[in-house]
Amino acid sequence: MGLEAHKISGVKVLNIAEENGEAIEKMVNKAIAEIQSQNIQILEIQTTGDNLILILGGQKP
């Protein structure tokens, strides 16, 4: 997805190094729930070897 047409309002970085799959799943689900409760869009999810990066947009209409 291209981000050119979107306004990025922030990022959330989750450190997933040294975590097992179940712990990562819980961490990501909690972060998504928190973001959705604030009515903020998640525009994209990116990963590195140690981090999961959520690119956040503006408020949902």
Side-chain angles (χ1 to χ4, degrees), residues 29-59:
N29 285 338
K30 181 179 177 187
I32 290 172
E34 289 173 2
I35 291 166
Q36 288 179 336
S37 73
Q38 296 172 20
N39 208 30
I40 296 174
Q41 294 178 321
I42 298 173
L43 301 176
E44 188 169 326
I45 299 175
Q46 300 179 356
T47 61
T48 67
D50 294 336
N51 298 302
L52 186 120
I53 304 163
L54 305 172
I55 309 295
L56 307 177
Q59 294 277 324

Side-chain angles (χ1 to χ4, degrees), residues 1-8 43-44 46 55:
M1 168 187 348
L3 296 174
E4 303 86 29
H6 298 284
K7 181 178 179 183
I8 297 173
L43 301 176
E44 188 169 326
Q46 300 179 356
I55 309 295

